[in-house]
Amino acid sequence: MTLIIDLIVIIVLIAGIWLFREPRRAKFGNLMAAFSLTCAFFLVLYRNGVMDAGVVVISLLGGAIAGYAVARAVSMIQIPAMVAFQHGAGGVAAFLVSLVELTRSTHALDTVSEVSGVLGLTIGALTFSASMVASAKLANRIRQTPQILPGHNLLMLWNIGGLLFVGGSSFYFTTELAWVLYLAQILLSVLFGILFSIRIGGADMPVLISFLNATAGLAASFCGMVIGNQLLIAFGATVAASGSILTHVMCKAMNRNLFRVFFPEQKKPKRALDKTSQSTALSTPSVVAGKGVADAAQDLKKAAAVILKAKTVIIVPGYGMALAKAQMEVADLAQRMIAMGKDVKYAIHPVAGRMPGHMNVLLAEAGVDYDMLVEMETINPDFQHTDLVLVVGACDVVNPAAIDVEGTPISGMPILMAHQAKHVVCCNFDEKPGYSGVENPLYEKSNTIMLPGDAKKTVDQLLASLTDKQPCETVADKPPSNNSADAVAALASAKNVVIIPGYGMALAKAQFDVVELASLLEKRGACVKYAIHPVAGRMPGHMNVLLAEADVDYDNLLEMDEVNPRFADTDVAMVFGACDVVNPAAIQSEGTPISGMPILMAHEAQKIIICNVDKNPGYSGVVNPLYDSDKAIMMLGDAKVSAKALISSLRSTGE
């Protein structure tokens, strides 16, 4: 029975991990894996008994509170450091449990358990120290570049020899004397972890993180062998296997030999360009640093013009985007381009960032649809047919020197073929090399527009320039019929009117004027109702509260499901400060932030009077095609002023 229960728990864990293959189901898979681990924890307590329940409860509460506090405080940019720290925590747990089991005098361990205990002690301790170094590097607490000490390889060989000698000697001493050897083994393992990890840095950090994931699982598995727990053995082995596979994938993606990552040659890396180019690049912060404000503004205009003309766009995010915390702005820019009718994708290099999946996590935080993220092998053939590549904080992963120049740290590394596109707009901090130290010839290509500086600000400027240039968003191009006279004529003959309030009405404090206009229409014989979208405003029931304040009868407020069938028979739908909730793009266009969102079907009415401040998109960033409909009568400006103008005009025609 025990074996069957263990098997069920393990199957649940594997099923949860299996769901990780599909991003949309990964969250549920994560919950399944957590559930299986929780079951395993309570099974261990149940089978072994609890000697002191108070200690267990205090430990659980302490760990849960600390974990919750840390998770809440950590931002997305700190996730890689957090992951490394968690690997270290797993290493600590493994070597402490192994130490306790090895030094217990109440029972004797067999040979397999004792060997497993020493291995768990060793691997757990080195995982802890290496993870702490990796976490410190990723958190910018220490230098991120590889640190190679004089005679580094020799020091590691002596350390390995010491580990083998001390670990082997511990089998021949009594528990009292073995204590000293175990402590020595821990110190040597910690030292080895430090020596091992300090000389890995920069672009190799994803490899180190995935490798430490594997060692943490391996330590846990050996720990399970010491205590005779099948679940811990299985779970640890699963983590070790997945970490090992991920390490292999990372190395393959970088065309790096794992041995060379862990034991790099102790020499200065070669540069891709000649010495003159190197000295020029290193003597100034950037080649474009000397450009004046006018030149920078001109480059920004060129970039905006290229974006406007482009039909196909590929965005290449990198670690610079993470540092600038620009993922939200990048996502907004992408949505603006999609709203303009462009085909937009994200090209994801497997080692972009500082941990596997770093860019995926950041873009997911910004609400980017996972289907828009395309892996390197899939998207590389598309670059040569692409109008524009927008590089945001990426260098080595788009560096053509990797395929054009031999003898550099990135020679032979697969890259995103951004240089093959018709145009490249590069929003990097400067033109300095990436962590590889290899100059990037992409910056010098004639089809590249450099926009140096903070990526967040640069992308914001691009977004603003596109807003200024979009013809569908300006008031100047509205048709002559879009004026208050047309609106008054439509209202004067209307029998059925539906008013759609939105957040713009709240901002303009126009609810009293809107209700006054509705009362005037009712006196003229029109049937007036209010259409309430459940997410209109900034809280549930926002519009209901505002209209109740203006003494609107609650029976006149119709929910979306009730009012939508009425729009086809409505003479005039009046929109006051609403955009996304009446945007037909939600049901007509795919791949936008509002795609599939239920809307108020105002576009089905005979006429639509829109009293919004302007024709800019709502918070979704999706342009509203309703504004360009032949049925639409635009009254742009303050909603309160528009309502007053309509009231005045209707009264002048006679009540």
Side-chain angles (χ1 to χ4, degrees), residues 357-419:
H358 196 175
M359 296 301 104
N360 304 63
V361 171
L362 292 175
L363 293 172
E365 180 195 18
V368 175
D369 191 329
Y370 192 84
D371 293 335
M372 296 177 67
L373 311 185
V374 187
E375 298 299 327
M376 179 173 61
E377 293 81 3
T378 305
I379 204 167
N380 263 346
D382 295 343
F383 279 109
Q384 57 186 322
H385 308 298
T386 299
D387 297 323
L388 169 65
V389 170
L390 181 65
V391 179
V392 184
C395 182
D396 288 336
V397 297
V398 292
N399 192 340
I403 54 178
D404 295 338
V405 182
E406 296 182 359
T408 74
I410 60 172
S411 294
M413 182 183 88
I415 63 167
L416 293 165
M417 310 296 278
H419 59 283

Side-chain angles (χ1 to χ4, degrees), residues 86-98 112-113 115-128 131 192 196 209-227 229-245 247 262:
Q86 289 174 334
H87 292 161
V92 167
F95 90 69
L96 286 177
V97 172
S98 296
V112 173
S113 297
V115 171
S116 299
V118 172
L119 289 175
L121 188 77
T122 304
I123 298 173
L126 70 86
T127 298
F128 163 69
S131 298
F192 182 84
F196 171 76
I209 295 299
S210 55
F211 181 77
L212 291 173
N213 182 30
T215 59
L218 190 61
S221 191
F222 280 126
C223 182
M225 294 178 70
V226 177
I227 63 176
N229 186 278
Q230 295 172 335
L231 288 173
L232 187 54
I233 295 171
F235 286 2
T238 303
V239 173
S242 62
S244 300
I245 293 170
T247 303
F262 294 156

Side-chain angles (χ1 to χ4, degrees), residues 52 287 329 385 388 570 594 602 621:
D52 192 333
V287 174
E329 286 70 24
H385 308 298
L388 169 65
T570 297
I594 59 172

Side-chain angles (χ1 to χ4, degrees), residues 7 13 19 46 72 82 89 100 136 165 202 217 234 285 345 364 373 398 418 421 444 468 480 494 506 519 607 631:
L7 186 60
L13 172 69
L19 292 178
Y46 174 75
R72 292 278 296 178
M82 180 66 176
V100 169
F165 176 76
K345 299 175 183 175
L373 311 185
V398 292
E444 305 295 332
D468 293 339
S519 298
K607 289 289 183 181
K631 301 178 181 180

